[in-house]
Amino acid sequence: MFIYTIALNAMDAVYAACSIRGKRDRIVLMSRQGSKPSLDLRMLADELQHRLPQAEVVLCTTDSERKNMFAFIKSLFVMVNQCARSRVCVLESAIPSVSIPRHLDKQTRVVQIWHAFGAIKKFGYQSLDTPANYSSEAAYAMRMHRNYDYVVSAGPGAIDAYSKAFNYEPDRIVPLGLPRMDYLLDTAPESPHMRNVERLRQKHPCLADDAFKVLYVPTLRRGAGTEGWMTREVARLSQALQPCGCRLLVAGHPLDPGCDKEAAKAMRNVEFVPGAPSRDLLSFADRVVTDYSAISFEAALVGKPVYFYVPDIVEYRQSPGLNIDPLEMFPEGTFVDPDELAAVVSQEDTYASEAFSRFVDGYFEGIGPGSCSRVAEFIEECYRDTFIEQKGHR
């Protein structure tokens, strides 16, 4: 506990020092999902700048500590300064520089727009003291997810899980959609979405042919025993799908090291598409296979048949745990055996998981087009609220 106390006092001191210079007319959008701003943050920054031309809209992003520890440590000081000097902090991931300070001033609003479309697996306060997450002692001592005024969810179906994961009352979870929903649903030929799809088609000829394509997008795995998991399961799927004549497209998690390169060379029916956003690869997929990833929601929203391949579901139920158990809720579209999955997925005229499509319809009920505008309008309201001498929820 002593080291936690030192860290808290140090962060409080840095925040207080940065606050001396006063507030700027600024909205800062922060992330540690990667050094480049995500599509959600870019879309939201453009919309906010259009709505509030008098305000300064700043993007502040970094790689996670798992990818680049030096950059992450440096970002702690940059982000705490941004937090102290800005009127609204918009986050899409956990940002210690915002949650650790114990006395954010009355002119600061914090809005978390979590990066996922939903919560199939448990996270945050739901999964403490499991191998996949932090200890309760560390989470509470370091004020994980504290200081939020609101949490924006992609749909009303996520409210209960988010309330528990972030440890806030349900009325603090606001279902508005996420900006990239507008991107996904816009299939006009000249839309940014379709232009990016066309670039992928030109860059990767394997996407342009008539082969029956199965897109595999597993979630990120952490902790002991997960080394080599991706390589092993891609190999099993490759072998199962080979007699069916299907091509397996593999898009790993951005923070996952991916498959062993030598093993990948032996998988003749597998195409690895490194660096390509999964949301754009959906356009080329005849079927989408995942496990506990929220890409399942994105795929269903654009009308792609979704199947769940969960060979480790017994372990996953324990750590980190599941909000949505696909084997229980969608048994006709969920498999633990790759051969059984291949037999169903390869049937072009059938779709075994209609139950998941119906579930997604309810999960996003009331969330139509215009998500980016709705989220920006909500943040604008938070921004204007900072000029009033009273504190909101926090």
Side-chain angles (χ1 to χ4, degrees):
M1 288 297 292
F2 180 67
I3 189 66
Y4 297 142
T5 302
I6 292 176
L8 288 171
N9 290 336
M11 191 65 78
D12 282 342
V14 174
Y15 179 83
C18 294
S19 298
I20 293 173
R21 299 169 64 193
K23 287 289 181 193
R24 294 183 63 90
D25 201 3
R26 176 187 295 165
I27 298 171
V28 61
L29 293 83
M30 300 183 186
S31 176
R32 60 187 182 99
Q33 290 291 105
S35 57
K36 294 182 180 180
S38 68
L39 177 61
D40 281 324
L41 293 191
R42 298 197 308 270
M43 292 178 67
L44 194 52
D46 290 343
E47 181 68 19
L48 287 168
Q49 197 66 82
H50 174 73
R51 287 172 171 270
L52 298 165
Q54 77 280 12
E56 183 183 3
V57 179
V58 175
L59 289 161
C60 186
T61 61
T62 183
D63 287 322
S64 74
E65 64 276 21
R66 295 179 180 86
K67 187 173 183 180
N68 189 333
M69 179 59 77
F70 176 77
F72 172 72
I73 292 173
K74 180 181 177 182
S75 75
L76 290 174
F77 298 96
V78 174
M79 288 182 173
V80 76
N81 178 63
Q82 290 286 356
C83 177
R85 305 293 313 280
S86 301
R87 292 189 173 274
V88 182
C89 299
V90 181
L91 323 177
E92 68 166 8
S93 55
I95 303 293
S97 302
V98 176
S99 61
I100 290 178
R102 287 170 286 190
H103 306 289
L104 294 195
D105 60 80
K106 293 182 178 181
Q107 289 183 315
T108 304
R109 300 292 183 272
V110 181
V111 180
Q112 171 68 259
I113 58 164
W114 194 243
H115 56 272
F117 268 36
I120 292 180
K121 61 184 180 182
K122 292 183 177 180
F123 68 101
Y125 285 90
Q126 291 181 299
S127 60
L128 296 180
D129 301 314
T130 69
N133 204 349
Y134 304 106
S135 68
S136 295
E137 179 186 28
Y140 284 99
M142 296 306 292
R143 295 172 50 78
M144 183 174 74
H145 293 310
R146 295 303 87 203
N147 287 335
Y148 302 163
D149 288 293
Y150 299 98
V151 177
V152 170
S153 71
I159 290 176
D160 181 64
Y162 278 23
S163 173
K164 295 170 182 174
F166 294 111
N167 198 19
Y168 289 94
E169 292 297 321
D171 64 354
R172 305 273 288 278
I173 316 300
V174 189
L176 300 174
L178 291 180
R180 72 178 184 275
M181 281 183 166
D182 296 343
Y183 172 92
L184 272 174
L185 297 173
D186 188 354
T187 56
E190 295 304 314
S191 67
H193 179 196
M194 297 315 294
R195 288 202 300 269
N196 287 334
V197 166
E198 185 56 33
R199 289 190 192 102
L200 278 179
R201 195 192 313 273
Q202 297 294 329
K203 184 176 180 180
H204 301 282
C206 64
L207 300 176
D209 61 25
D210 295 329
F212 190 84
K213 302 177 185 68
V214 178
L215 175 63
Y216 180 48
V217 193
T219 194
L220 176 66
R221 281 167 171 76
R222 297 170 178 160
T226 61
E227 297 83 1
W229 189 93
M230 183 78 163
T231 301
R232 182 178 68 250
E233 295 306 329
V234 169
R236 294 181 71 198
L237 287 172
S238 169
Q239 185 176 3
L241 288 168
Q242 204 155 19
C244 310
C246 298
R247 176 176 296 153
L248 187 65
L249 304 177
V250 178
H253 191 283
L255 300 180
D256 194 297
C259 285
D260 177 78
K261 292 182 179 179
E262 290 303 314
K265 292 177 182 178
M267 304 178 198
R268 301 300 182 187
N269 62 330
V270 178
E271 292 288 350
F272 296 90
V273 196
S278 299
R279 60 177 176 265
D280 294 332
L281 289 175
L282 289 173
S283 295
F284 303 99
D286 295 289
R287 301 286 187 268
V288 176
V289 174
T290 185
D291 42 21
Y292 320 104
S293 170
I295 190 67
S296 56
F297 293 114
E298 299 184 46
L301 282 173
V302 297
K304 296 295 180 178
V306 177
Y307 294 83
F308 296 92
Y309 174 55
V310 290
D312 59 347
I313 193 166
V314 174
E315 297 84 2
Y316 222 86
R317 285 167 173 160
Q318 301 301 315
S319 175
L322 295 171
N323 291 306
I324 300 168
D325 189 318
L327 193 57
E328 290 185 357
M329 298 180 66
F330 323 113
E332 72 283 4
T334 304
F335 303 87
V336 296
D337 181 86
D339 294 315
E340 293 180 3
L341 170 69
V344 174
V345 166
S346 60
Q347 297 177 30
E348 297 191 29
D349 298 326
T350 62
Y351 178 31
S353 194
E354 293 288 350
F356 181 66
S357 293
R358 293 192 296 271
F359 176 82
V360 169
D361 289 342
Y363 203 86
F364 296 102
E365 185 176 6
I367 304 296
S371 294
C372 187
S373 180
R374 282 193 300 273
V375 176
E377 181 180 9
F378 183 78
I379 293 170
E380 181 183 356
E381 291 174 3
C382 293
Y383 163 81
R384 297 192 185 282
D385 186 50
T386 65
F387 293 93
I388 302 172
E389 275 300 318
Q390 62 181 14
K391 189 57 190 160
H393 279 297
R394 200 173 53 252

